[in-house]
């Protein structure tokens, strides 16, 4: 699902901004750029952080922040569309546009560690068998395919919000694999 989140943003953000929000192409191109620049910068920033926390904690924090960012993206785009339906021109919505850029910077940075931290959390139970690795890789590829396909059927902000909510619910239902608090020796610290 996390791969779906990234793929849908890279495949559909520009199209959504031009077609649905009515942005000029130059402004629309800034949206996926903001997402991926912050995503890349977060990769660099995560290097010292990864050694300080166990993967399950990073996964949970990243998913919670991504859910907040996806909710913000949904609210901002809904507000933008509402203002456009009331007859406001795109140029009059500069504050909303800049807020949307900021939201996508936040979303890119929060989404960045999910895949790697989730993979490390899964591997804490030991090496995966070939069959387990195959199922995992199949799910990753299915997520990427869904991310490129589903936003063609449903609005991008809804896809992002539902995807983030699904990741959050999956992690919440698998506390054994993704505990919030755990030390480096795999001892759980329950609140």
């Amino acid at each position: 699902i996390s791969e779906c989140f990234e793929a849908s943003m890279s495949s559909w953000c520009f199209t959504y901004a031009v077609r649905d929000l009515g942005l000029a192409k130059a402004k629309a191109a800034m949206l996926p750029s903001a997402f991926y620049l912050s995503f890349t910068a977060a990769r660099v920033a995560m290097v010292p952080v990864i050694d300080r926390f166990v993967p399950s904690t990073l996964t949970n924090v990243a998913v919670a922040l991504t859910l907040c960012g996806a909710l913000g993206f949904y609210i901002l785009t809904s507000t933008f569309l509402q203002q456009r339906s009331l007859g406001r021109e795109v140029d009059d919505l500069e504050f909303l546009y800049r807020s949307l850029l900021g939201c996508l910077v936040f979303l890119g940075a929060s989404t960045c560690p999910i895949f790697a931290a989730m993979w490390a959390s899964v591997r804490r139970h030991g090496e995966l068998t070939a069959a387990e690795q195959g199922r995992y890789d199949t799910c990753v590829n299915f997520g990427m395919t869904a991310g490129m396909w589903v936003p063609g059927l449903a609005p991008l902000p809804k896809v992002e919000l539902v995807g983030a909510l699904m990741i959050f619910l999956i992690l919440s239902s698998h506390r054994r694999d993704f505990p919030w608090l755990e030390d480096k020796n795999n001892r759980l610290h329950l609140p």
Side-chain angles (χ1 to χ4, degrees):
I1 295 172
S2 68
E3 292 301 305
C4 176
F5 199 91
E6 294 172 38
S8 62
M9 191 59 74
S10 65
S11 300
W12 289 95
C13 190
F14 174 80
T15 302
Y16 177 78
V18 171
R19 183 188 63 202
D20 295 5
L21 299 180
L23 293 176
K25 290 179 180 179
K27 281 193 165 194
M30 291 299 295
L31 297 179
S33 297
F35 178 85
Y36 274 108
L37 283 172
S38 66
F39 187 94
T40 303
R43 284 274 161 108
V44 173
M46 290 303 299
V47 171
V49 174
I50 292 249
D51 286 338
R52 298 196 195 302
F53 298 97
V54 292
S56 60
T57 301
L58 289 174
T59 304
N60 281 299
V61 170
V63 168
L65 292 174
T66 298
L67 181 58
C68 292
L71 181 61
F73 183 58
Y74 180 80
I75 290 169
L76 285 168
T77 54
S78 296
T79 304
F80 200 98
L81 289 170
Q82 179 187 36
Q83 292 299 311
R84 294 281 288 142
S85 71
L86 295 173
R88 299 215 33 209
E89 295 296 323
V90 172
D91 294 338
D92 298 334
L93 302 173
E94 187 65 24
F95 176 75
L96 278 174
Y97 171 74
R98 290 181 185 269
S99 299
L100 196 54
L101 274 175
C103 180
L104 288 175
V105 166
F106 181 81
L107 257 176
S110 66
T111 303
C112 166
I114 294 175
F115 181 77
M118 194 175 294
W119 177 241
S121 294
V122 168
R123 293 198 59 194
R124 71 187 262 271
H125 297 297
E127 293 297 320
L128 298 177
T129 66
E132 291 169 329
Q133 179 71 43
R135 285 191 295 273
Y136 187 83
D137 289 344
T138 299
C139 289
V140 168
N141 290 314
F142 178 72
M144 284 188 259
T145 302
M148 291 183 266
W149 180 70
V150 174
L153 303 174
L156 181 64
K158 286 184 182 176
V159 172
E160 298 293 315
L161 183 57
V162 169
L165 184 59
M166 287 172 62
I167 297 170
F168 182 79
L169 292 174
I170 289 168
L171 292 186
S172 297
S173 67
H174 290 78
R175 282 287 164 232
R176 180 183 75 87
D177 297 320
F178 300 100
W180 271 94
L181 301 170
E182 180 180 24
D183 66 20
K184 288 284 188 183
N185 298 318
N186 292 330
R187 291 187 306 246
L188 299 180
H189 300 283
L190 301 174

